PDB file of all heavy atoms in Angstrom:
ATOM      1  N   SER A1080       1.399  48.360  36.011  1.00  0.00           N
ATOM      2  CA  SER A1080       1.686  48.219  37.433  1.00  0.00           C
ATOM      3  C   SER A1080       3.126  47.792  37.669  1.00  0.00           C
ATOM      4  O   SER A1080       3.813  48.291  38.563  1.00  0.00           O
ATOM      5  CB  SER A1080       0.742  47.194  38.058  1.00  0.00           C
ATOM      6  OG  SER A1080      -0.592  47.516  37.749  1.00  0.00           O
ATOM      7  N   LEU A1081       3.581  46.858  36.837  1.00  0.00           N
ATOM      8  CA  LEU A1081       4.965  46.396  36.955  1.00  0.00           C
ATOM      9  C   LEU A1081       5.925  47.549  36.707  1.00  0.00           C
ATOM     10  O   LEU A1081       6.863  47.780  37.473  1.00  0.00           O
ATOM     11  CB  LEU A1081       5.215  45.258  35.961  1.00  0.00           C
ATOM     12  CG  LEU A1081       6.659  44.824  35.772  1.00  0.00           C
ATOM     13  CD1 LEU A1081       7.221  44.229  37.055  1.00  0.00           C
ATOM     14  CD2 LEU A1081       6.789  43.793  34.638  1.00  0.00           C
ATOM     15  N   VAL A1082       5.668  48.275  35.616  1.00  0.00           N
ATOM     16  CA  VAL A1082       6.577  49.360  35.250  1.00  0.00           C
ATOM     17  C   VAL A1082       6.570  50.449  36.325  1.00  0.00           C
ATOM     18  O   VAL A1082       7.612  51.004  36.667  1.00  0.00           O
ATOM     19  CB  VAL A1082       6.198  49.914  33.864  1.00  0.00           C
ATOM     20  CG1 VAL A1082       6.897  51.229  33.595  1.00  0.00           C
ATOM     21  CG2 VAL A1082       6.544  48.888  32.794  1.00  0.00           C
ATOM     22  N   ALA A1083       5.406  50.730  36.905  1.00  0.00           N
ATOM     23  CA  ALA A1083       5.335  51.736  37.962  1.00  0.00           C
ATOM     24  C   ALA A1083       6.284  51.371  39.091  1.00  0.00           C
ATOM     25  O   ALA A1083       6.988  52.232  39.646  1.00  0.00           O
ATOM     26  CB  ALA A1083       3.902  51.839  38.471  1.00  0.00           C
ATOM     27  N   GLY A1084       6.341  50.083  39.422  1.00  0.00           N
ATOM     28  CA  GLY A1084       7.258  49.641  40.473  1.00  0.00           C
ATOM     29  C   GLY A1084       8.708  49.733  40.019  1.00  0.00           C
ATOM     30  O   GLY A1084       9.578  50.232  40.733  1.00  0.00           O
ATOM     31  N   LEU A1085       8.952  49.266  38.813  1.00  0.00           N
ATOM     32  CA  LEU A1085      10.338  49.233  38.314  1.00  0.00           C
ATOM     33  C   LEU A1085      10.942  50.630  38.230  1.00  0.00           C
ATOM     34  O   LEU A1085      12.140  50.821  38.430  1.00  0.00           O
ATOM     35  CB  LEU A1085      10.407  48.569  36.931  1.00  0.00           C
ATOM     36  CG  LEU A1085      10.125  47.063  36.875  1.00  0.00           C
ATOM     37  CD1 LEU A1085      10.164  46.578  35.425  1.00  0.00           C
ATOM     38  CD2 LEU A1085      11.143  46.286  37.712  1.00  0.00           C
ATOM     39  N   LEU A1086      10.081  51.646  37.964  1.00  0.00           N
ATOM     40  CA  LEU A1086      10.599  52.999  37.767  1.00  0.00           C
ATOM     41  C   LEU A1086      11.191  53.587  39.039  1.00  0.00           C
ATOM     42  O   LEU A1086      11.915  54.569  38.987  1.00  0.00           O
ATOM     43  CB  LEU A1086       9.478  53.912  37.225  1.00  0.00           C
ATOM     44  CG  LEU A1086       9.118  53.656  35.755  1.00  0.00           C
ATOM     45  CD1 LEU A1086       7.912  54.491  35.350  1.00  0.00           C
ATOM     46  CD2 LEU A1086      10.290  53.953  34.844  1.00  0.00           C
ATOM     47  N   THR A1087      10.907  52.973  40.168  1.00  0.00           N
ATOM     48  CA  THR A1087      11.502  53.495  41.408  1.00  0.00           C
ATOM     49  C   THR A1087      12.943  53.007  41.595  1.00  0.00           C
ATOM     50  O   THR A1087      13.660  53.499  42.463  1.00  0.00           O
ATOM     51  CB  THR A1087      10.696  53.038  42.634  1.00  0.00           C
ATOM     52  OG1 THR A1087      10.737  51.609  42.686  1.00  0.00           O
ATOM     53  CG2 THR A1087       9.264  53.529  42.579  1.00  0.00           C
ATOM     54  N   ILE A1088      13.345  52.034  40.795  1.00  0.00           N
ATOM     55  CA  ILE A1088      14.692  51.477  40.987  1.00  0.00           C
ATOM     56  C   ILE A1088      15.732  52.474  40.492  1.00  0.00           C
ATOM     57  O   ILE A1088      15.656  52.979  39.377  1.00  0.00           O
ATOM     58  CB  ILE A1088      14.833  50.135  40.249  1.00  0.00           C
ATOM     59  CG1 ILE A1088      13.857  49.108  40.848  1.00  0.00           C
ATOM     60  CG2 ILE A1088      16.271  49.625  40.325  1.00  0.00           C
ATOM     61  CD1 ILE A1088      13.794  47.809  40.099  1.00  0.00           C
ATOM     62  N   GLY A1089      16.673  52.780  41.356  1.00  0.00           N
ATOM     63  CA  GLY A1089      17.715  53.752  41.015  1.00  0.00           C
ATOM     64  C   GLY A1089      18.757  53.742  42.112  1.00  0.00           C
ATOM     65  O   GLY A1089      18.854  52.755  42.856  1.00  0.00           O
ATOM     66  N   THR A1090      19.487  54.814  42.223  1.00  0.00           N
ATOM     67  CA  THR A1090      20.593  54.821  43.184  1.00  0.00           C
ATOM     68  C   THR A1090      20.117  54.598  44.618  1.00  0.00           C
ATOM     69  O   THR A1090      20.821  54.027  45.431  1.00  0.00           O
ATOM     70  CB  THR A1090      21.375  56.135  43.109  1.00  0.00           C
ATOM     71  OG1 THR A1090      20.420  57.202  43.099  1.00  0.00           O
ATOM     72  CG2 THR A1090      22.240  56.201  41.868  1.00  0.00           C
ATOM     73  N   ARG A1091      18.888  55.053  44.936  1.00  0.00           N
ATOM     74  CA  ARG A1091      18.451  54.916  46.328  1.00  0.00           C
ATOM     75  C   ARG A1091      17.799  53.575  46.606  1.00  0.00           C
ATOM     76  O   ARG A1091      17.940  53.014  47.675  1.00  0.00           O
ATOM     77  CB  ARG A1091      17.443  56.017  46.662  1.00  0.00           C
ATOM     78  CG  ARG A1091      18.086  57.358  46.683  1.00  0.00           C
ATOM     79  CD  ARG A1091      17.105  58.368  47.206  1.00  0.00           C
ATOM     80  NE  ARG A1091      17.669  59.703  47.140  1.00  0.00           N
ATOM     81  CZ  ARG A1091      16.981  60.799  47.380  1.00  0.00           C
ATOM     82  NH1 ARG A1091      15.701  60.691  47.714  1.00  0.00           N
ATOM     83  NH2 ARG A1091      17.544  61.976  47.318  1.00  0.00           N
ATOM     84  N   PHE A1092      17.026  53.108  45.606  1.00  0.00           N
ATOM     85  CA  PHE A1092      16.303  51.853  45.820  1.00  0.00           C
ATOM     86  C   PHE A1092      16.798  50.830  44.808  1.00  0.00           C
ATOM     87  O   PHE A1092      16.637  51.003  43.596  1.00  0.00           O
ATOM     88  CB  PHE A1092      14.801  52.083  45.672  1.00  0.00           C
ATOM     89  CG  PHE A1092      13.998  50.808  45.668  1.00  0.00           C
ATOM     90  CD1 PHE A1092      14.012  49.955  46.775  1.00  0.00           C
ATOM     91  CD2 PHE A1092      13.244  50.440  44.558  1.00  0.00           C
ATOM     92  CE1 PHE A1092      13.281  48.780  46.751  1.00  0.00           C
ATOM     93  CE2 PHE A1092      12.509  49.264  44.552  1.00  0.00           C
ATOM     94  CZ  PHE A1092      12.535  48.435  45.648  1.00  0.00           C
ATOM     95  N   GLY A1093      17.460  49.796  45.321  1.00  0.00           N
ATOM     96  CA  GLY A1093      17.856  48.690  44.444  1.00  0.00           C
ATOM     97  C   GLY A1093      19.097  48.953  43.629  1.00  0.00           C
ATOM     98  O   GLY A1093      19.727  48.037  43.124  1.00  0.00           O
ATOM     99  N   GLY A1094      19.490  50.208  43.527  1.00  0.00           N
ATOM    100  CA  GLY A1094      20.632  50.518  42.678  1.00  0.00           C
ATOM    101  C   GLY A1094      21.964  50.380  43.375  1.00  0.00           C
ATOM    102  O   GLY A1094      23.018  50.664  42.808  1.00  0.00           O
ATOM    103  N   ALA A1095      21.924  49.941  44.626  1.00  0.00           N
ATOM    104  CA  ALA A1095      23.167  49.856  45.396  1.00  0.00           C
ATOM    105  C   ALA A1095      24.135  48.836  44.812  1.00  0.00           C
ATOM    106  O   ALA A1095      25.334  48.900  45.046  1.00  0.00           O
ATOM    107  CB  ALA A1095      22.848  49.516  46.845  1.00  0.00           C
ATOM    108  N   LEU A1096      23.608  47.882  44.062  1.00  0.00           N
ATOM    109  CA  LEU A1096      24.469  46.807  43.577  1.00  0.00           C
ATOM    110  C   LEU A1096      25.564  47.319  42.642  1.00  0.00           C
ATOM    111  O   LEU A1096      26.740  47.031  42.837  1.00  0.00           O
ATOM    112  CB  LEU A1096      23.645  45.731  42.857  1.00  0.00           C
ATOM    113  CG  LEU A1096      22.903  44.758  43.774  1.00  0.00           C
ATOM    114  CD1 LEU A1096      21.520  45.257  44.050  1.00  0.00           C
ATOM    115  CD2 LEU A1096      22.872  43.383  43.172  1.00  0.00           C
ATOM    116  N   ASP A1097      25.137  48.085  41.626  1.00  0.00           N
ATOM    117  CA  ASP A1097      26.130  48.604  40.681  1.00  0.00           C
ATOM    118  C   ASP A1097      27.167  49.454  41.402  1.00  0.00           C
ATOM    119  O   ASP A1097      28.366  49.303  41.192  1.00  0.00           O
ATOM    120  CB  ASP A1097      25.435  49.472  39.609  1.00  0.00           C
ATOM    121  CG  ASP A1097      24.944  48.626  38.456  1.00  0.00           C
ATOM    122  OD1 ASP A1097      25.561  47.562  38.204  1.00  0.00           O
ATOM    123  OD2 ASP A1097      23.953  49.014  37.816  1.00  0.00           O
ATOM    124  N   GLY A1098      26.685  50.357  42.277  1.00  0.00           N
ATOM    125  CA  GLY A1098      27.578  51.262  43.011  1.00  0.00           C
ATOM    126  C   GLY A1098      28.555  50.488  43.877  1.00  0.00           C
ATOM    127  O   GLY A1098      29.761  50.756  43.857  1.00  0.00           O
ATOM    128  N   ALA A1099      28.040  49.495  44.588  1.00  0.00           N
ATOM    129  CA  ALA A1099      28.898  48.712  45.476  1.00  0.00           C
ATOM    130  C   ALA A1099      29.978  48.000  44.677  1.00  0.00           C
ATOM    131  O   ALA A1099      31.162  48.016  45.044  1.00  0.00           O
ATOM    132  CB  ALA A1099      28.050  47.698  46.251  1.00  0.00           C
ATOM    133  N   ALA A1100      29.566  47.383  43.568  1.00  0.00           N
ATOM    134  CA  ALA A1100      30.552  46.662  42.749  1.00  0.00           C
ATOM    135  C   ALA A1100      31.635  47.619  42.277  1.00  0.00           C
ATOM    136  O   ALA A1100      32.839  47.314  42.343  1.00  0.00           O
ATOM    137  CB  ALA A1100      29.855  46.015  41.550  1.00  0.00           C
ATOM    138  N   GLN A1101      31.214  48.812  41.804  1.00  0.00           N
ATOM    139  CA  GLN A1101      32.190  49.759  41.270  1.00  0.00           C
ATOM    140  C   GLN A1101      33.108  50.292  42.378  1.00  0.00           C
ATOM    141  O   GLN A1101      34.332  50.323  42.226  1.00  0.00           O
ATOM    142  CB  GLN A1101      31.471  50.917  40.566  1.00  0.00           C
ATOM    143  CG  GLN A1101      31.033  50.518  39.174  1.00  0.00           C
ATOM    144  CD  GLN A1101      29.914  51.398  38.631  1.00  0.00           C
ATOM    145  OE1 GLN A1101      29.447  52.320  39.315  1.00  0.00           O
ATOM    146  NE2 GLN A1101      29.498  51.108  37.422  1.00  0.00           N
ATOM    147  N   GLU A1102      32.533  50.722  43.504  1.00  0.00           N
ATOM    148  CA  GLU A1102      33.332  51.326  44.577  1.00  0.00           C
ATOM    149  C   GLU A1102      34.322  50.328  45.164  1.00  0.00           C
ATOM    150  O   GLU A1102      35.518  50.623  45.313  1.00  0.00           O
ATOM    151  CB  GLU A1102      32.419  51.869  45.685  1.00  0.00           C
ATOM    152  CG  GLU A1102      31.581  53.073  45.269  1.00  0.00           C
ATOM    153  CD  GLU A1102      32.429  54.272  44.837  1.00  0.00           C
ATOM    154  OE1 GLU A1102      33.505  54.519  45.439  1.00  0.00           O
ATOM    155  OE2 GLU A1102      32.028  54.940  43.866  1.00  0.00           O
ATOM    156  N   PHE A1103      33.850  49.132  45.503  1.00  0.00           N
ATOM    157  CA  PHE A1103      34.741  48.127  46.086  1.00  0.00           C
ATOM    158  C   PHE A1103      35.848  47.736  45.102  1.00  0.00           C
ATOM    159  O   PHE A1103      37.020  47.631  45.480  1.00  0.00           O
ATOM    160  CB  PHE A1103      33.953  46.884  46.535  1.00  0.00           C
ATOM    161  CG  PHE A1103      33.292  47.036  47.869  1.00  0.00           C
ATOM    162  CD1 PHE A1103      31.937  47.289  47.998  1.00  0.00           C
ATOM    163  CD2 PHE A1103      34.066  46.938  49.038  1.00  0.00           C
ATOM    164  CE1 PHE A1103      31.339  47.440  49.232  1.00  0.00           C
ATOM    165  CE2 PHE A1103      33.460  47.083  50.291  1.00  0.00           C
ATOM    166  CZ  PHE A1103      32.095  47.334  50.389  1.00  0.00           C
ATOM    167  N   SER A1104      35.463  47.533  43.810  1.00  0.00           N
ATOM    168  CA  SER A1104      36.489  47.149  42.836  1.00  0.00           C
ATOM    169  C   SER A1104      37.549  48.233  42.698  1.00  0.00           C
ATOM    170  O   SER A1104      38.746  47.955  42.636  1.00  0.00           O
ATOM    171  CB  SER A1104      35.884  46.917  41.449  1.00  0.00           C
ATOM    172  OG  SER A1104      34.757  46.142  41.532  1.00  0.00           O
ATOM    173  N   LYS A1105      37.073  49.497  42.611  1.00  0.00           N
ATOM    174  CA  LYS A1105      37.993  50.615  42.406  1.00  0.00           C
ATOM    175  C   LYS A1105      39.008  50.668  43.546  1.00  0.00           C
ATOM    176  O   LYS A1105      40.213  50.755  43.321  1.00  0.00           O
ATOM    177  CB  LYS A1105      37.202  51.930  42.318  1.00  0.00           C
ATOM    178  CG  LYS A1105      37.856  52.998  41.461  1.00  0.00           C
ATOM    179  CD  LYS A1105      36.856  54.073  41.027  1.00  0.00           C
ATOM    180  CE  LYS A1105      36.405  54.916  42.230  1.00  0.00           C
ATOM    181  NZ  LYS A1105      35.288  55.823  41.899  1.00  0.00           N
ATOM    182  N   ALA A1106      38.500  50.589  44.780  1.00  0.00           N
ATOM    183  CA  ALA A1106      39.380  50.667  45.949  1.00  0.00           C
ATOM    184  C   ALA A1106      40.370  49.502  45.975  1.00  0.00           C
ATOM    185  O   ALA A1106      41.568  49.679  46.178  1.00  0.00           O
ATOM    186  CB  ALA A1106      38.541  50.676  47.226  1.00  0.00           C
ATOM    187  N   TYR A1107      39.836  48.313  45.690  1.00  0.00           N
ATOM    188  CA  TYR A1107      40.688  47.121  45.729  1.00  0.00           C
ATOM    189  C   TYR A1107      41.770  47.204  44.657  1.00  0.00           C
ATOM    190  O   TYR A1107      42.940  46.952  44.908  1.00  0.00           O
ATOM    191  CB  TYR A1107      39.822  45.882  45.534  1.00  0.00           C
ATOM    192  CG  TYR A1107      40.594  44.591  45.419  1.00  0.00           C
ATOM    193  CD1 TYR A1107      41.096  43.958  46.566  1.00  0.00           C
ATOM    194  CD2 TYR A1107      40.841  44.011  44.177  1.00  0.00           C
ATOM    195  CE1 TYR A1107      41.812  42.781  46.457  1.00  0.00           C
ATOM    196  CE2 TYR A1107      41.553  42.840  44.056  1.00  0.00           C
ATOM    197  CZ  TYR A1107      42.042  42.226  45.211  1.00  0.00           C
ATOM    198  OH  TYR A1107      42.752  41.062  45.107  1.00  0.00           O
ATOM    199  N   ASP A1108      41.356  47.594  43.439  1.00  0.00           N
ATOM    200  CA  ASP A1108      42.309  47.659  42.337  1.00  0.00           C
ATOM    201  C   ASP A1108      43.349  48.749  42.558  1.00  0.00           C
ATOM    202  O   ASP A1108      44.495  48.623  42.117  1.00  0.00           O
ATOM    203  CB  ASP A1108      41.574  47.926  41.002  1.00  0.00           C
ATOM    204  CG  ASP A1108      40.706  46.737  40.616  1.00  0.00           C
ATOM    205  OD1 ASP A1108      40.925  45.635  41.181  1.00  0.00           O
ATOM    206  OD2 ASP A1108      39.806  46.908  39.769  1.00  0.00           O
ATOM    207  N   ALA A1109      42.959  49.828  43.281  1.00  0.00           N
ATOM    208  CA  ALA A1109      43.924  50.907  43.556  1.00  0.00           C
ATOM    209  C   ALA A1109      44.878  50.525  44.675  1.00  0.00           C
ATOM    210  O   ALA A1109      45.809  51.282  45.006  1.00  0.00           O
ATOM    211  CB  ALA A1109      43.166  52.183  43.906  1.00  0.00           C
ATOM    212  N   GLY A1110      44.645  49.376  45.306  1.00  0.00           N
ATOM    213  CA  GLY A1110      45.533  48.919  46.366  1.00  0.00           C
ATOM    214  C   GLY A1110      45.293  49.593  47.700  1.00  0.00           C
ATOM    215  O   GLY A1110      46.149  49.552  48.592  1.00  0.00           O
TER     216      GLY A1110
END
Side-chain angles (χ1 to χ4, degrees):
Chain A
S1080 308
L1081 170 65
V1082 167
L1085 291 177
L1086 287 174
T1087 62
I1088 297 173
T1090 47
R1091 292 188 184 172
F1092 171 61
L1096 281 92
D1097 273 332
Q1101 280 159 0
E1102 292 300 323
F1103 279 102
S1104 313
K1105 209 161 69 189
Y1107 174 79
D1108 293 343

